[in-house]
Structure formats: structure tokens, C-alpha cells
Amino acid sequence: MIFSDAVRLTSIALWISTDALRFPWMGTELLALAGLGSLAALVAHNRQRYQPLLTFLKPVNDSKAQLKELVEEMQVGLLLLDPSANIVLSNQAAAHLLQLTPAQLEGKVPFHHHLQIATELGTPLPFSGHPIQQVINTCQPLYDQIFKVKAVARGDWRWLSITVIPQLSPEGALQRVMCTFHDVTLFKQAEESLKTSHQRFAWYVQQSPLAVIEWDLHFRVKEWNPAAETLFGYTREEIIGRCATDLIMPPAAVPQLAQIWGRLADSPSADGQNAQHAIENTTKSGQLLMCEWHHTLMVDDTNQAVGVISLVQDITERQEIEKRLIHNAYHDPLTGLPNRALFMKHLERAIAVNRRSTSGTCAVFFIDVDRFKFINDSLGHSIGDSLLVELAHRLKTCLRSSDLIARLGGDEFAVLMPNLPGLSRAAQVAERMQKVLSQPFFLLGHDVFTSVSIGIASPELDGDRAEVLLRNADAAMYSAKESGGASYFIFTPELHARALTRLELETDLRRAVERQEFLLHYQPIVSLRSKIIVGFEALIRWQHPKRGFVSPGDFIPMAEETGLIAPIGLWVMQEACRQVRQWQQRFPTKSPFFISVNLSAVQFLQPKLIDEIQTVLAESNLSPNNLKLEITESVIMSSTDYATKVLDRLKQIGVKFAIDDFGTGYSSLSYLHRFPVDTLKIDRSFISQLDTDVEKVELVRTILSLAWNLGMDVVAEGVETQKHLAQLRLLKCDYGQGYLFAKPLANEQITSLLSQYGPMVS
């Protein structure tokens, strides 16, 4: 097809040149068009570029105007020059591409004087090196040579692809020169940009902080940047051309790498040209590194794989950090034990195994440290933390290697024991735990005694879901704690019902604080000499809207555990001080009553306790000497230094102190002189046996003697019979409190009682 089109063009040119006499009106311009014979050769050289010319060619009888129109419509610049390089014919595309003016196209000045031409490298060409001049001199054609061209008079540099074809006479003399020009500026700019991009990429490879390795498809290294040298220890000279997999990868990783590259080569599309994986690598010194590899397939112009570029990053430290993060996510930072999340995962697996097993069972232990909050608050968090660590260590000694112990939070632990022959084995382990933990802990110079309450649950009894089992063990633990602690309970459905009741009670207790459902009863404290009332102990009562009166023994421990004791205790102090001040004002001739208010360990350890007491005294206008705070000996003995500071500070204000339930704690009597205590309250367990147990009488006598020697007075609690009263009078006890005088009464009843005259007893 190309040949026939070229013949067609040539025949047109020959027809024009040989039959010009038939068309004298064509003149010189028509003869110039004979240069189309050279155009035929040009089309044969590059059909695609000049296809528009072939399409628009007319039959041989076309007119001059049609031929000129054809030339003008060409998108390629076309010039026809005489042997002196003067322009004979041009088209508008040539004028536009060469930035020539109409005057420059008149042909009076040799064409090449109008253009400054440089080589592709940018070197200016001398006149003799001008491509048109070269063709004129040599009569040899020039095809598709790219030059940098600028009009001398004006214009900027452009990149043009130039073809120059001489037309010779039969004798070999130069008759005409035909030139075509094609603008390739955008192409050259793209080429330069690409070249710059390659240079930048090469620079990046050398400067990259990541190791960059270029491989052929046989694992031989073609490129190895400085970061790769630093990472693996091999220099570029040592590694180029070698199969590096044997040097930097373990043998097991090579098949994996080959498999990855195979997948890349099989999918040379955009979606399949990348892959990444992490493997352990070996450096030249033998050090093991965990590296992350990113592979990119390289393909040629035919989309065939020719190699792979790998980016390599040392992730050893990152993996260690990830391991630590994962460990921290599933372990307790203090004890190093598994946390709740990990425990629940193990428990779910153990339950699944238990479902398939026909023999044996698993057991869940829920363990809570008795009085931990008090220990933590009184002795400090450092000792509290040390206690938890040591306690976890002791618990481990009671378990098998297959068992799991976890810290759920705070002072709560859980143990999972799979593959047990029966729950009797779990009971034996609980007893061993109690025995091991009964020994004192020596922590930061302190001997600390504690115990644990343990709840045990098993899928055999109720529930085969992890959250249900743990909940059941928790319910059993609370039953153990309510029984006094230092014991264990195995879950039963009845315990679950009790747990629900307890949960409801806790919810109601929170609402009771908001709804002010509490009230105070007051029990008189009587002088055993004068038999008159000298003070009162404020005792809180809960008037539940549905359950009626709820005993303090049922809700005070819960209030301490939930933290509600703080607002409840503050309200008790405010109400008690306000009420006793009213009685003082109403009965000014009677004894200046004092009011005793119990402080829990949680309240006593609050930093804002002193400020709150001062505020209450100011608001009620009660003298500090008429407020007596009752605390148990265990509170002050567990943190003697802190207790001494608090007691001394309140003593300076004028507030008095009483040690409640004296004789039931574990303190030494020799410590009493260290504290500014005003009153000892002998526990009712001693008073109830005064008329039957001689040893109790002697013990009470000793307490009285000790108190008097230390400047303290004594209140006997639980005085219920005339025999109790008679014995206490013989022992010369100061004050008494009990049902013999009055039960705890509402404020209206106390007001009525104070209105009467005379002693409380005969």
C-alpha cells in the first residue's frame, strides 16, 4: 500500500513537471510543485505521519488550487527550496513552526540564515553544519533528525524533527530541496522530564534510608545502595552480580521469596506488581534482623518481567515494641500476670474443651483481698502494690503449671484450673491458698497481715459461658466476704439469687443518697455515777421505701466498698451536730451533751477530713469539745504515723476521740499512750459476760486501770441488765450505754426523754 501511494504521488509530480505547457497559467509555482516527487519518497519513509496527505490527494486532473490547498492542509511544515536555499514554496504549518514572517518567506535570503540551529545536545551548529546546507553540499537526504531551532529575528527555542530530501536532475545536478518540519517539543520536554526523573530516582536510591536492592530474575543483585551496605554489612563490590539470597536470607526463606516473585511475574498488571512480607535476615557479622520487604516487579516495553526492586526496612525494634504492646494489652503491668481480657480468652477455650470432655471439669476462682483498701490507704500505695505482687507470687505456688492466674483489677484475682477430677480438688486448693496467705508479708519494713475471700464456680453447677462462670465465682466470693472473709464459697444457684439481691441493694443505696432516705437514731450515754444522760451516739438508719428499715450491718460495708460512705458519713456528721446543738439550746440546764459519731476507715483516711469537720462545726455552731469521733483500734494501728498526725491536728481544734470496740482488735496496749485518745469504749462481748466469767471481770478491771492511768474515761457498751450495771459500778466504770438505759431512738423520742426529770435508772 505504501509503495502504490508513493507511485501515485510520484506520477502526479511527473505529470505536473512534464505537462506544464498545457497549463501555462501555472507558471513557476506549478513547476515548484514538482517537488512532490520528493514528497512521495517522504511518504514511503514514514506513511503514518503523512497519511492525511494521502487521504486528501485528488485525481491527476486536479487543478493547481486543489494541489495548493492540499499542501496547506498538511499538519507538517513543508518548504521547497532552490539549490541556493531560497524558498520556492511553503505552507502555513511551516511558517507557524519556524516562526517565520511573510517577508522571510519571500525567498530573497537563503532560508538557513533565518534560523539558528543547535544539536540535540544544545550545541549551536556553524553555517556549514546546518542540516539544509549539508544536504545541498552532499545531495544526501536527511531523515527525522531532531534539532533545537530558534528564529534569528524572534521566537524561542523549539525542538523540531527535520527531514531534508534533495531532488536531482537526470544528470545528477541538484534541482530542488524539499524540507519538512515536525514539532517534537512536548516529546523532548517529556523525555527531559523522564531523564530528570531517572536521575532523581537514582539519587533517591543512593540517599534513601531504606535498603534498595535491584535483582534479576535469577536472584542476582544488579543494584545495592549504601543503606543496604549499612543494613547487611556487605559492600556494593562484594554483592553486585552475586546471588545474595544465600548471604542474607535463611535457607527456609528462599523458596518463599521465589514463590512471591513467581506470583509477581505471573501477574504483571498494576494490581499484581507489588508484594510485601517479613522475614528474618542475617548480616555479614551473623546478626539476626527481622526485616520487612516490599517487592516491585520491573517489566520491559512488552510487559515482560525483567527483574525486581526490593525496599528493605529493619523492623526488629518495631517488632519488639509491638510484642511489648501486645503483652501490655493482655497483661497486668504491676504483677505481670494475664489481665481480664486474656483470662477470658483462656476461659472460653477451657469451656469449649470441657464441653467435649466426658471426664473431669474446670473451675474458676474469684479471689478478693480482705481489707485491701484499708491497707492501701493507711500504709500507702507502695506497700499496697508490693502486697499484690507478693500475693500473686504466693498464689502461683499453690497452682499447677497448667493453671492460669490473672489479675482482674485492683485487689481482685482470678484462677482457671482445667482438667480437675472434681470440685473437691478445687476446695483443697482454696484451703491451701488460705493457709499460704495467712503468713505475714514483710513489706518495706512493715509486717502486713491479710487474708482473701474466694469464690469458686464450675460449668458442672451452673453456666457454661465464660462471663457467666466468672460472674458466678464473683457472687460466691461476695458470700465469703459477707461471712467475715478469710474463707471460700462454692457457687450455688442460691448464691446467684443473693448476688442479684445485693446488686439491687447497691442500686437502691445509690438512689438513697440522692433521695435522702437516711435518718439518725440516737442512743444515750449515761453517767454510771449520776445516772443522767451526758451524751449520745449517732446511729444511721435506712428507711427503704419498699423494704422498710435496713440494718447498718447490711449496707455500711457496701457503702465502704462502693465509696458511698464518704457522702453518707458527712451527712451523718452534719445532721448529728445540728441535732445535738438544738438539744443543748432547748435544755440549757442539763448536761452539755456531746455527740459521738463513728468514722469508718475510708473517712478517716480522707485528706479533706479535717476541713470537713471544721465546716460542720462552724455551720452547726457546736463547740468542738462536744464532738467525739469514734474509730476502731484497727484503723489507728494500721497506720500509726498518719493516725497520730490526724488525731493531733483535730485535738488542737478541740475535737475528742474514742476508740470503739476496744479489746477486739490486734493492737498492743503499749501503743495507747502515743495517741491523744479521750475515751475507751469496751466492746459488748466483754460486758455481756461480766456476771458469768471472772476472767472478763479482771480484763475489764485492767482496761479501766489502764485508761485512768492514761487520763482516759471509759464507756461500757452493751449494758443490758441490772447485774451488768451493778458490776460496772463496783469496778467504778465511768459511763454506760445499752438497752438497760434506752435503745437507739428517733430525735423526737430523745426530745421527749430529755423533757423528763430524774435519773435514767434507779
Side-chain angles (χ1 to χ4, degrees):
M1 180 66 181
I2 295 177
F3 175 76
S4 62
D5 290 335
V7 171
R8 187 180 177 199
L9 282 170
T10 304
S11 65
I12 294 172
L14 291 175
W15 173 75
I16 294 174
S17 61
T18 58
D19 204 17
L21 295 177
R22 291 181 56 189
F23 305 97
W25 49 269
M26 290 185 180
T28 306
E29 293 183 3
L30 182 59
L31 292 175
L33 286 175
L36 288 175
S38 301
L39 184 60
L42 189 65
V43 172
H45 174 71
N46 193 336
R47 172 181 170 81
Q48 183 176 4
R49 181 178 298 173
Y50 303 108
Q51 182 63 40
L53 180 61
L54 296 176
T55 303
F56 291 102
L57 282 176
K58 305 297 182 181
V60 294
N61 59 350
D62 283 349
S63 67
K64 170 190 174 184
Q66 290 173 320
L67 292 172
K68 292 190 68 173
E69 181 182 353
L70 175 66
V71 173
E72 285 297 335
E73 290 198 10
M74 293 177 62
Q75 299 299 314
V76 178
L78 176 66
L79 290 178
L80 194 65
L81 308 177
D82 64 17
S84 299
N86 295 318
I87 299 174
V88 177
L89 180 67
S90 65
N91 67 353
Q92 289 297 320
H96 175 72
L97 291 174
L98 300 174
Q99 298 178 311
L100 297 177
T101 65
Q104 291 170 329
L105 292 172
E106 290 179 357
K108 296 178 181 180
V109 179
F111 162 69
H112 50 255
H113 288 290
H114 297 308
L115 296 179
Q116 183 177 355
I117 297 182
T119 65
E120 188 173 356
L121 298 176
T123 305
L125 291 173
F127 172 76
S128 60
H130 198 288
I132 295 177
Q133 188 63 42
Q134 285 184 351
V135 172
I136 292 174
N137 293 340
T138 63
C139 292
Q140 296 296 321
L142 181 71
Y143 294 106
D144 287 328
Q145 291 294 308
I146 297 176
F147 295 94
K148 203 172 185 182
V149 177
K150 183 176 76 168
V152 173
R154 64 186 181 85
D156 54 356
W157 288 98
R158 308 285 296 276
W159 290 97
L160 300 180
S161 175
I162 301 176
T163 295
V164 185
I165 300 177
Q167 184 179 2
L168 305 178
S169 68
E171 294 78 17
L174 179 67
Q175 291 182 324
R176 283 172 293 275
V177 177
M178 181 174 155
C179 304
T180 61
F181 306 89
H182 185 68
D183 192 341
V184 294
T185 302
L186 294 178
F187 169 77
K188 290 298 295 182
Q189 289 175 345
E191 188 180 60
E192 289 295 325
S193 177
L194 183 61
K195 183 178 179 181
T196 303
S197 297
H198 282 303
Q199 292 172 344
R200 288 177 178 173
F201 177 73
W203 178 87
Y204 170 77
V205 168
Q206 294 300 310
Q207 302 298 322
S208 172
L210 300 181
V212 181
I213 306 172
E214 182 181 345
W215 318 72
D216 64 18
L217 294 179
H218 300 287
F219 300 111
R220 289 188 294 265
V221 177
K222 297 174 64 178
E223 187 55 65
W224 184 267
N225 74 338
E229 294 183 353
T230 302
L231 181 61
F232 295 110
Y234 294 96
T235 65
R236 190 174 185 276
E237 291 72 20
E238 291 177 308
I239 210 77
I240 292 294
R242 297 183 62 179
C243 181
T245 55
D246 297 336
L247 299 177
I248 64 175
M249 293 185 181
V254 178
Q256 179 188 3
L257 186 63
Q259 186 179 14
I260 293 173
W261 284 14
R263 289 199 302 268
L264 287 175
D266 292 340
S267 304
S269 62
D271 294 336
Q273 288 182 342
N274 298 281
Q276 76 176 68
H277 63 115
I279 57 174
E280 192 173 57
N281 294 105
T282 307
T283 67
K284 184 177 181 180
S285 64
Q287 181 184 2
L288 295 178
L289 299 176
M290 180 58 67
C291 295
E292 186 175 71
W293 291 71
H294 294 260
H295 305 289
T296 301
L297 185 69
M298 296 189 299
V299 297
D300 59 16
D301 294 339
T302 63
N303 212 32
Q304 295 298 311
V306 296
V308 172
I309 289 181
S310 300
L311 300 181
V312 192
Q313 182 178 15
D314 180 7
I315 60 171
T316 306
E317 183 177 356
R318 189 181 79 189
Q319 278 213 332
E320 290 299 321
I321 293 174
E322 289 175 352
K323 288 179 181 178
R324 289 198 296 270
L325 289 175
I326 293 174
H327 181 275
N328 292 341
Y330 287 103
H331 290 80
D332 170 50
L334 177 63
T335 62
L337 296 177
N339 61 10
R340 179 185 291 268
L342 185 56
F343 181 82
M344 296 302 287
K345 288 180 179 290
H346 282 271
L347 180 54
E348 288 170 356
R349 286 197 291 266
I351 291 174
V353 172
N354 192 75
R355 290 193 191 106
R356 298 190 298 267
S357 176
T358 57
S359 61
T361 186
C362 67
V364 176
F365 292 63
F366 199 108
I367 304 169
D368 185 88
V369 183
D370 297 331
R371 300 173 57 254
F372 176 75
K373 181 172 179 57
F374 172 72
I375 294 172
N376 201 35
D377 291 343
S378 59
L379 299 180
H381 291 277
S382 296
I383 290 182
D385 290 346
S386 299
L387 174 61
L388 293 176
V389 173
E390 290 299 319
L391 188 141
H393 176 72
R394 289 195 190 181
L395 286 174
K396 286 182 181 180
T397 64
C398 303
L399 304 175
R400 305 166 299 178
S401 59
S402 60
D403 301 332
L404 177 71
I405 178 173
R407 183 187 177 201
L408 303 183
D411 60 332
E412 295 178 340
F413 295 83
V415 170
L416 171 61
M417 297 190 71
N419 303 320
L420 289 177
L423 283 180
S424 59
R425 173 63 175 160
Q428 293 174 2
V429 173
E431 291 173 358
R432 186 188 310 156
M433 290 178 178
Q434 297 286 0
K435 182 177 180 181
V436 168
L437 298 178
S438 65
Q439 301 300 316
F441 294 84
F442 185 73
L443 306 171
L444 303 178
H446 295 267
D447 282 325
V448 178
F449 292 84
T450 190
S451 59
V452 294
S453 299
I454 304 174
I456 304 173
S458 170
E460 287 185 357
L461 299 178
D462 184 32
D464 63 348
R465 289 185 298 136
E467 61 272 17
V468 173
L469 269 183
L470 191 63
R471 182 202 66 192
N472 293 346
D474 189 11
M477 181 277 296
Y478 271 109
S479 295
K481 188 172 287 290
E482 289 174 350
S483 70
S487 61
Y488 70 90
F489 272 61
I490 298 177
F491 178 80
T492 63
E494 291 76 15
L495 290 182
H496 179 55
R498 290 174 57 185
L500 290 178
T501 301
R502 184 182 182 282
L503 180 61
E504 293 175 359
L505 185 64
E506 179 180 338
T507 303
D508 291 345
L509 182 60
R510 294 184 181 278
R511 292 173 178 169
V513 175
E514 301 172 0
R515 299 173 181 176
Q516 297 183 349
E517 295 175 356
F518 300 107
L519 53 87
L520 290 183
H521 282 188
Y522 302 89
Q523 187 170 33
I525 299 174
V526 178
S527 170
L528 298 185
R529 294 188 183 91
S530 63
K531 305 175 187 178
I532 62 173
I533 298 174
V534 294
F536 306 91
E537 180 179 357
L539 301 169
I540 189 171
R541 297 292 184 265
W542 180 10
Q543 180 65 52
H544 193 281
K546 295 181 179 179
R547 304 184 186 187
F549 279 106
V550 180
S551 169
D554 293 333
F555 70 85
I556 290 298
M558 183 182 296
E560 291 181 335
E561 179 185 340
T562 58
L564 294 173
I565 193 65
I568 293 175
L570 179 59
W571 176 84
V572 169
M573 190 178 302
Q574 291 171 333
E575 182 66 16
C577 291
R578 182 194 62 79
Q579 182 61 64
V580 79
R581 179 57 184 157
Q582 284 187 358
W583 288 330
Q584 288 177 345
Q585 293 174 332
R586 183 168 180 178
F587 305 103
T589 60
K590 293 186 178 290
S591 172
F593 312 115
F594 65 84
I595 185 70
S596 287
V597 178
N598 290 279
L599 281 185
S600 70
V602 176
Q603 288 177 276
F604 185 74
L605 296 172
Q606 282 189 81
K608 57 182 180 180
L609 174 65
I610 296 175
D611 293 337
E612 287 182 347
I613 291 174
Q614 288 180 304
T615 301
V616 169
L617 291 173
E619 291 176 349
S620 62
N621 198 28
L622 181 68
S623 170
N625 293 326
N626 296 138
L627 174 62
K628 185 177 292 187
L629 301 177
E630 295 188 11
I631 54 177
T632 62
E633 53 186 319
S634 60
V635 171
I636 60 176
M637 293 306 302
S638 296
S639 182
T640 56
D641 293 338
Y642 179 80
T644 301
K645 292 178 182 178
V646 173
L647 295 178
D648 285 342
R649 180 72 182 92
L650 290 174
K651 194 68 174 179
Q652 294 173 3
I653 298 173
V655 176
K656 295 184 178 181
F657 281 94
I659 295 182
D660 195 16
D661 301 332
F662 186 78
T664 60
Y666 53 81
S667 63
S668 169
L669 297 180
S670 61
Y671 276 87
L672 282 178
H673 72 279
R674 296 179 52 184
F675 306 111
V677 176
D678 302 282
T679 303
L680 294 182
K681 298 189 74 173
I682 303 177
D683 187 69
R684 66 181 66 249
S685 61
F686 297 99
I687 305 303
S688 63
Q689 302 179 47
L690 280 180
D691 53 351
T692 58
D693 191 336
V694 177
E695 291 184 357
K696 288 294 189 297
V697 174
E698 293 303 319
L699 183 56
V700 171
R701 190 192 308 275
T702 301
I703 293 174
L704 288 168
S705 177
L706 173 67
W708 294 334
N709 289 333
L710 294 175
M712 305 175 187
D713 53 44
V714 178
V715 176
E717 295 183 293
V719 181
E720 297 181 355
T721 67
Q722 290 290 342
K723 290 183 178 180
H724 293 162
L725 177 59
Q727 188 65 61
L728 289 171
R729 283 177 172 172
L730 287 175
L731 294 173
K732 299 182 179 179
C733 182
D734 303 298
Y735 304 102
Q737 177 181 349
Y739 282 7
L740 179 63
F741 308 115
K743 294 180 179 181
L745 303 172
N747 57 356
E748 298 86 357
Q749 295 172 303
I750 293 294
T751 301
S752 175
L753 183 64
L754 293 176
S755 300
Q756 303 173 10
Y757 292 92
M760 290 292 297
V761 293
S762 57

PDB file of all heavy atoms in Angstrom, residues 64 127 191 203 208 212 378 383 429 467 531 603 613 705:
ATOM      1  N   LYS A  64      -4.387  23.358  -9.960  1.00  0.00           N
ATOM      2  CA  LYS A  64      -3.328  23.919  -9.106  1.00  0.00           C
ATOM      3  C   LYS A  64      -3.878  24.344  -7.749  1.00  0.00           C
ATOM      4  O   LYS A  64      -3.266  24.091  -6.716  1.00  0.00           O
ATOM      5  CB  LYS A  64      -2.695  25.112  -9.825  1.00  0.00           C
ATOM      6  CG  LYS A  64      -1.761  25.925  -8.945  1.00  0.00           C
ATOM      7  CD  LYS A  64      -1.368  27.201  -9.646  1.00  0.00           C
ATOM      8  CE  LYS A  64      -0.559  28.071  -8.690  1.00  0.00           C
ATOM      9  NZ  LYS A  64      -0.222  29.370  -9.299  1.00  0.00           N
ATOM     10  N   PHE A 127      27.464  27.509  10.243  1.00  0.00           N
ATOM     11  CA  PHE A 127      26.713  27.567   8.984  1.00  0.00           C
ATOM     12  C   PHE A 127      26.920  26.302   8.161  1.00  0.00           C
ATOM     13  O   PHE A 127      25.983  25.733   7.594  1.00  0.00           O
ATOM     14  CB  PHE A 127      27.143  28.812   8.192  1.00  0.00           C
ATOM     15  CG  PHE A 127      26.570  28.863   6.820  1.00  0.00           C
ATOM     16  CD1 PHE A 127      25.237  29.205   6.623  1.00  0.00           C
ATOM     17  CD2 PHE A 127      27.349  28.546   5.687  1.00  0.00           C
ATOM     18  CE1 PHE A 127      24.692  29.246   5.346  1.00  0.00           C
ATOM     19  CE2 PHE A 127      26.800  28.586   4.420  1.00  0.00           C
ATOM     20  CZ  PHE A 127      25.482  28.939   4.245  1.00  0.00           C
ATOM     21  N   GLU A 191      10.667  13.783  27.524  1.00  0.00           N
ATOM     22  CA  GLU A 191      11.884  12.970  27.590  1.00  0.00           C
ATOM     23  C   GLU A 191      12.861  13.527  28.609  1.00  0.00           C
ATOM     24  O   GLU A 191      13.467  12.788  29.396  1.00  0.00           O
ATOM     25  CB  GLU A 191      12.523  12.915  26.204  1.00  0.00           C
ATOM     26  CG  GLU A 191      13.681  11.938  26.095  1.00  0.00           C
ATOM     27  CD  GLU A 191      14.256  11.932  24.701  1.00  0.00           C
ATOM     28  OE1 GLU A 191      14.728  13.002  24.246  1.00  0.00           O
ATOM     29  OE2 GLU A 191      14.227  10.875  24.050  1.00  0.00           O
ATOM     30  N   TRP A 203      19.321   9.237  42.392  1.00  0.00           N
ATOM     31  CA  TRP A 203      19.806   9.973  43.572  1.00  0.00           C
ATOM     32  C   TRP A 203      19.074   9.493  44.827  1.00  0.00           C
ATOM     33  O   TRP A 203      19.684   9.303  45.873  1.00  0.00           O
ATOM     34  CB  TRP A 203      19.576  11.465  43.359  1.00  0.00           C
ATOM     35  CG  TRP A 203      19.996  12.300  44.543  1.00  0.00           C
ATOM     36  CD1 TRP A 203      21.221  12.808  44.809  1.00  0.00           C
ATOM     37  CD2 TRP A 203      19.154  12.693  45.642  1.00  0.00           C
ATOM     38  NE1 TRP A 203      21.217  13.494  45.989  1.00  0.00           N
ATOM     39  CE2 TRP A 203      19.963  13.445  46.538  1.00  0.00           C
ATOM     40  CE3 TRP A 203      17.825  12.488  45.956  1.00  0.00           C
ATOM     41  CZ2 TRP A 203      19.466  13.985  47.707  1.00  0.00           C
ATOM     42  CZ3 TRP A 203      17.330  13.029  47.125  1.00  0.00           C
ATOM     43  CH2 TRP A 203      18.135  13.768  47.985  1.00  0.00           C
ATOM     44  N   SER A 208      18.496   7.081  49.937  1.00  0.00           N
ATOM     45  CA  SER A 208      17.366   6.509  50.678  1.00  0.00           C
ATOM     46  C   SER A 208      17.808   5.894  51.999  1.00  0.00           C
ATOM     47  O   SER A 208      18.817   5.172  52.055  1.00  0.00           O
ATOM     48  CB  SER A 208      16.673   5.434  49.829  1.00  0.00           C
ATOM     49  OG  SER A 208      15.708   4.749  50.596  1.00  0.00           O
ATOM     50  N   VAL A 212      17.804  -0.474  49.229  1.00  0.00           N
ATOM     51  CA  VAL A 212      17.205  -0.684  47.917  1.00  0.00           C
ATOM     52  C   VAL A 212      18.055  -1.697  47.169  1.00  0.00           C
ATOM     53  O   VAL A 212      19.259  -1.495  46.997  1.00  0.00           O
ATOM     54  CB  VAL A 212      17.105   0.633  47.120  1.00  0.00           C
ATOM     55  CG1 VAL A 212      16.454   0.383  45.765  1.00  0.00           C
ATOM     56  CG2 VAL A 212      16.320   1.678  47.902  1.00  0.00           C
ATOM     57  N   SER A 378      -3.983   3.221 104.340  1.00  0.00           N
ATOM     58  CA  SER A 378      -3.312   3.538 105.601  1.00  0.00           C
ATOM     59  C   SER A 378      -1.801   3.417 105.502  1.00  0.00           C
ATOM     60  O   SER A 378      -1.068   4.254 106.034  1.00  0.00           O
ATOM     61  CB  SER A 378      -3.833   2.615 106.712  1.00  0.00           C
ATOM     62  OG  SER A 378      -3.592   1.255 106.375  1.00  0.00           O
ATOM     63  N   ILE A 383       3.220   0.085  99.534  1.00  0.00           N
ATOM     64  CA  ILE A 383       3.059  -1.172 100.264  1.00  0.00           C
ATOM     65  C   ILE A 383       1.896  -1.966  99.678  1.00  0.00           C
ATOM     66  O   ILE A 383       1.962  -3.194  99.560  1.00  0.00           O
ATOM     67  CB  ILE A 383       2.852  -0.898 101.762  1.00  0.00           C
ATOM     68  CG1 ILE A 383       4.161  -0.377 102.374  1.00  0.00           C
ATOM     69  CG2 ILE A 383       2.368  -2.143 102.497  1.00  0.00           C
ATOM     70  CD1 ILE A 383       4.096  -0.108 103.850  1.00  0.00           C
ATOM     71  N   VAL A 429      -7.500 -26.769  96.940  1.00  0.00           N
ATOM     72  CA  VAL A 429      -6.614 -25.677  96.510  1.00  0.00           C
ATOM     73  C   VAL A 429      -6.980 -24.383  97.235  1.00  0.00           C
ATOM     74  O   VAL A 429      -6.095 -23.628  97.659  1.00  0.00           O
ATOM     75  CB  VAL A 429      -6.709 -25.489  94.984  1.00  0.00           C
ATOM     76  CG1 VAL A 429      -5.934 -24.250  94.546  1.00  0.00           C
ATOM     77  CG2 VAL A 429      -6.180 -26.726  94.266  1.00  0.00           C
ATOM     78  N   GLU A 467     -18.446 -15.487  80.695  1.00  0.00           N
ATOM     79  CA  GLU A 467     -18.890 -14.377  81.535  1.00  0.00           C
ATOM     80  C   GLU A 467     -19.810 -14.848  82.657  1.00  0.00           C
ATOM     81  O   GLU A 467     -19.802 -14.295  83.763  1.00  0.00           O
ATOM     82  CB  GLU A 467     -19.594 -13.309  80.693  1.00  0.00           C
ATOM     83  CG  GLU A 467     -20.838 -13.771  79.966  1.00  0.00           C
ATOM     84  CD  GLU A 467     -20.543 -14.348  78.595  1.00  0.00           C
ATOM     85  OE1 GLU A 467     -19.368 -14.690  78.339  1.00  0.00           O
ATOM     86  OE2 GLU A 467     -21.480 -14.450  77.785  1.00  0.00           O
ATOM     87  N   LYS A 531     -26.268   8.805 136.932  1.00  0.00           N
ATOM     88  CA  LYS A 531     -27.382   8.162 136.226  1.00  0.00           C
ATOM     89  C   LYS A 531     -28.107   9.103 135.268  1.00  0.00           C
ATOM     90  O   LYS A 531     -29.249   8.862 134.909  1.00  0.00           O
ATOM     91  CB  LYS A 531     -28.387   7.575 137.215  1.00  0.00           C
ATOM     92  CG  LYS A 531     -27.786   6.616 138.216  1.00  0.00           C
ATOM     93  CD  LYS A 531     -28.832   6.179 139.222  1.00  0.00           C
ATOM     94  CE  LYS A 531     -28.200   5.338 140.339  1.00  0.00           C
ATOM     95  NZ  LYS A 531     -29.209   4.948 141.364  1.00  0.00           N
ATOM     96  N   GLN A 603     -13.354   7.094 105.704  1.00  0.00           N
ATOM     97  CA  GLN A 603     -13.497   8.500 106.076  1.00  0.00           C
ATOM     98  C   GLN A 603     -12.241   9.021 106.771  1.00  0.00           C
ATOM     99  O   GLN A 603     -11.787  10.131 106.498  1.00  0.00           O
ATOM    100  CB  GLN A 603     -14.696   8.676 107.012  1.00  0.00           C
ATOM    101  CG  GLN A 603     -16.054   8.533 106.357  1.00  0.00           C
ATOM    102  CD  GLN A 603     -17.152   8.663 107.390  1.00  0.00           C
ATOM    103  OE1 GLN A 603     -17.501   7.691 108.055  1.00  0.00           O
ATOM    104  NE2 GLN A 603     -17.682   9.868 107.539  1.00  0.00           N
ATOM    105  N   ILE A 613     -14.710  18.586 108.948  1.00  0.00           N
ATOM    106  CA  ILE A 613     -15.126  18.674 110.354  1.00  0.00           C
ATOM    107  C   ILE A 613     -15.224  20.127 110.798  1.00  0.00           C
ATOM    108  O   ILE A 613     -16.190  20.533 111.476  1.00  0.00           O
ATOM    109  CB  ILE A 613     -14.154  17.890 111.239  1.00  0.00           C
ATOM    110  CG1 ILE A 613     -14.297  16.383 110.956  1.00  0.00           C
ATOM    111  CG2 ILE A 613     -14.397  18.186 112.721  1.00  0.00           C
ATOM    112  CD1 ILE A 613     -13.279  15.528 111.689  1.00  0.00           C
ATOM    113  N   SER A 705      -8.147   0.390 134.648  1.00  0.00           N
ATOM    114  CA  SER A 705      -6.932   0.883 135.299  1.00  0.00           C
ATOM    115  C   SER A 705      -6.008   1.533 134.279  1.00  0.00           C
ATOM    116  O   SER A 705      -5.423   2.597 134.526  1.00  0.00           O
ATOM    117  CB  SER A 705      -6.231  -0.273 136.003  1.00  0.00           C
ATOM    118  OG  SER A 705      -5.023   0.166 136.580  1.00  0.00           O
TER     119      SER A 705
END
